[in-house]
Amino acid sequence: MRASAVRRDSLPQRIFDAIGDYATHTPARFAILVFAGLIALFTLLFSLPIATASGESAPFVDALFTAVSVICVTGLSTVDMATFWSPFGHVLTFIGVEIGGIGVLTLASILGLVISRRLGLRQKLLAAGDANPLRIRRGPIAEGQAVRLGETGSLLLTVAVSVLVIEGITAVLLFPRILIQTGDLWSAAWESVYYSAMAFTNTGFVPTTEGLDPYASDPWFLIVMMLAVGFGAIGFPVIYVLRRNVRHPSRWSLHVKITLITFGLLFVGGALAYFILEFDNPATMAGMDGGQRVLQSAFISSMARSGGFATLDMGELDGSSLLVTDMLMFIGGGSASTAGGIKVTTLAILFLAAFAEARGNNDMEAYGRRIPGDVLRLAVSVVLWGATTVAAATIGILLITDDAPLDFVLFDVISAFATCGLSTGFTLQAGDGSQYILAATMFLGRVGTVTLAAALAASTRRQLFRRAEERPIVG
């Protein structure tokens, strides 16, 4: 009797240990399974009659697409999010974007830290793999990382605190302006909290049918939103380092310096491009004064990186502006952030490699540090797989859609891959087949090409020989 009790008690522990061992040995595959499981769960919840305002079950394609968009913190939708879903559906959306924005493995590690008040090696490895793709593959890993394994606990604490503090401050700053607009205390409180979560997680859903229209020219509202989106997009490792050494730039890691410099250049360059390209566009900025042109240009540049909010109709942008937006969305935000895209550090690594080649240097160097070759190989893989995903999704949609313009389809596909959420209106009007393709693109974009590549590889393969060298012609 006692032996059987021991066996019954030990079975859950054995299951827990087996899951933990699988997660530790193959974190990439585990992350994909968890993301897929969450999407399946939220699809089921969004399909419930209680989740819709009409009290009827949502069509499967709408429930699935919304679940993917929520968990992948994208912001694209096939329905009017403000009117289609009930209060229960809005709560599901709010919870889902918080889970997706923080990261599944990071959130699990934070909960383990809160419950047990300690962080074991297994939890450290899971969280480290979620924060840094270079740690995902099995095998020996060099410890010259942006955040070392021993600092994982402090990083997790930074994630939890930054989410609460930044979203809280954003909600407080937005509340008076929204209260003036709505005149209702509870509505203003809910909308301010909702907007703060959607901004920091870089999702872009809006709680009302008019969206940002009442605040489209309000500097206070738009600047607060840009700051919240920016903090979410620079990445938790950057916030962690800035929190500890904000007054000592010399102590910043190479990752932080590269991220901040590239992030700033893209923001300024994007704003300048929109200011010039949309200056005479009667559908966007032609009738605005200089101050509003600067504000709107900065806002679009910030949101195109992954924020997903829009004060202008994306479908009315000039073709050249659409192309600029495509590029900004594809690049995205910082690594280990709530933003999507190939990440700004990936772009910086490619440029550093080009500069090194132009100067005839064998090594990539920046700020007195040498960047190893495996980082470049990973950056090239991310860009190639990202471009392949976008191209395949675009071609697939064009094959099943007759009258959709290429620039609109490409725009929404890149927005889906980069989990941005900006749309020309194509997603809402697309057929079921196109919406399924966009949902798959969102999943691939959020899970990440690095994670998928690592999931398909059992481990790092050691080759005990080197083949004869031969150089193909390049360029």
Side-chain angles (χ1 to χ4, degrees):
M1 189 71 180
R2 181 176 300 173
S4 61
V6 171
R7 284 195 296 270
R8 285 197 299 271
D9 292 339
S10 61
L11 179 60
Q13 184 62 40
R14 289 200 298 269
I15 296 175
F16 178 80
D17 290 339
I19 295 175
D21 291 338
Y22 180 79
T24 303
H25 286 86
T26 57
R29 295 177 182 177
F30 180 71
I32 292 176
L33 289 176
V34 172
F35 258 99
L38 281 172
I39 289 173
L41 173 62
F42 273 76
T43 300
L44 177 63
L45 294 175
F46 278 119
S47 299
L48 297 176
I50 192 177
T52 63
S54 64
E56 301 177 355
S57 297
F60 177 76
V61 63
D62 295 327
L64 173 64
F65 194 97
T66 303
V68 176
S69 187
V70 165
I71 296 300
C72 297
V73 290
T74 303
L76 289 175
S77 62
T78 57
V79 297
D80 185 342
M81 295 291 293
T83 59
F84 187 84
W85 303 111
S86 67
F88 177 76
H90 290 306
V91 172
L92 284 179
T93 302
F94 183 88
I95 295 174
V97 299
E98 295 286 12
I99 295 174
I102 295 174
V104 177
L105 302 185
T106 298
L107 181 61
S109 300
I110 292 175
L111 293 177
L113 180 61
V114 171
I115 294 173
S116 64
R117 297 186 179 181
R118 62 183 297 272
L119 200 65
L121 179 60
R122 177 180 293 169
Q123 287 78 18
K124 287 183 179 180
L125 291 172
L126 283 176
D130 201 25
N132 186 357
L134 289 171
R135 292 187 179 276
I136 290 179
R137 290 190 176 91
R138 296 173 58 185
I141 297 174
E143 194 52 35
Q145 307 288 346
V147 178
R148 296 179 179 273
L149 188 62
E151 299 174 313
T152 304
S154 299
L155 176 62
L156 291 177
L157 182 61
T158 299
V159 172
V161 172
S162 61
V163 170
L164 295 176
V165 171
I166 296 175
E167 289 189 8
I169 293 176
T170 303
V172 170
L173 294 176
L174 293 177
F175 176 76
R177 179 62 184 88
I178 297 177
L179 180 60
I180 294 173
Q181 178 64 32
T182 62
D184 181 79
L185 183 66
W186 294 111
S187 296
W190 162 246
E191 289 181 23
S192 62
V193 171
Y194 192 94
Y195 272 121
S196 66
M198 298 303 156
F200 182 74
T201 59
N202 280 223
T203 306
F205 289 131
V206 293
T208 58
T209 53
E210 62 269 19
L212 294 185
D213 289 346
Y215 319 104
S217 59
D218 189 326
W220 176 265
F221 189 93
L222 298 185
I223 290 174
V224 171
M225 294 290 285
M226 283 191 286
L227 290 174
V229 167
F231 276 113
I234 61 175
F236 293 113
V238 175
I239 296 176
Y240 168 71
V241 172
L242 293 180
R243 181 180 66 86
R244 300 180 63 187
N245 300 299
V246 66
R247 297 182 179 180
H248 304 283
S250 60
R251 300 179 185 176
W252 294 356
S253 65
L254 179 61
H255 170 77
V256 173
K257 294 176 182 178
I258 290 178
T259 299
L260 292 179
I261 292 296
T262 311
F263 202 94
L265 290 175
L266 289 172
F267 171 74
V268 174
L272 183 61
Y274 288 121
F275 185 88
I276 296 173
L277 297 175
E278 294 298 314
F279 193 88
D280 294 325
N281 188 344
T284 56
M285 298 186 190
M288 298 180 182
D289 57 32
Q292 277 296 316
R293 281 194 174 108
V294 172
L295 178 63
Q296 297 300 329
S297 299
F299 190 79
I300 300 175
S301 180
S302 175
M303 297 303 141
R305 304 285 301 291
S306 191
F309 294 99
T311 54
L312 302 176
D313 186 350
M314 294 293 103
E316 298 293 339
L317 292 180
D318 185 78
S320 56
S321 298
L322 286 177
L323 183 58
V324 169
T325 311
D326 289 342
M327 293 187 291
L328 291 176
M329 290 191 300
F330 188 74
I331 296 169
S335 299
S337 71
T338 60
I342 63 171
K343 304 300 190 295
V344 296
T345 44
T346 302
L347 178 69
I349 292 299
L350 296 179
F351 272 98
L352 288 173
F355 292 153
E357 182 65 25
R359 292 193 297 263
N361 296 337
N362 293 327
D363 297 323
M364 291 183 295
E365 296 179 353
Y367 297 102
R369 292 290 187 269
R370 178 178 58 84
I371 302 173
D374 62 330
V375 178
L376 175 60
R377 291 195 296 271
L378 185 60
V380 173
S381 299
V382 168
V383 174
L384 288 179
W385 281 109
T388 301
T389 302
V390 169
T394 303
I395 293 173
I397 291 176
L398 289 175
L399 285 176
I400 62 176
T401 306
D402 296 329
D403 56 349
L406 172 61
D407 52 351
F408 281 18
V409 173
L410 180 62
F411 187 99
D412 280 36
V413 167
I414 294 178
S415 180
F417 169 78
T419 65
C420 178
L422 293 177
S423 176
T424 58
F426 169 77
T427 299
L428 189 63
Q429 302 172 357
D432 289 356
S434 298
Q435 291 173 351
Y436 283 126
I437 294 176
L438 287 172
T441 306
M442 287 189 289
F443 180 79
L444 293 176
R446 186 57 183 170
V447 170
T449 52
V450 176
T451 305
L452 287 175
L456 296 176
S459 64
T460 302
R461 185 166 62 97
R462 294 186 62 189
Q463 187 166 296
L464 302 180
F465 63 92
R466 300 183 69 183
R467 300 187 185 277
E469 182 181 276
E470 184 171 348
R471 295 176 178 269
I473 299 174
V474 177

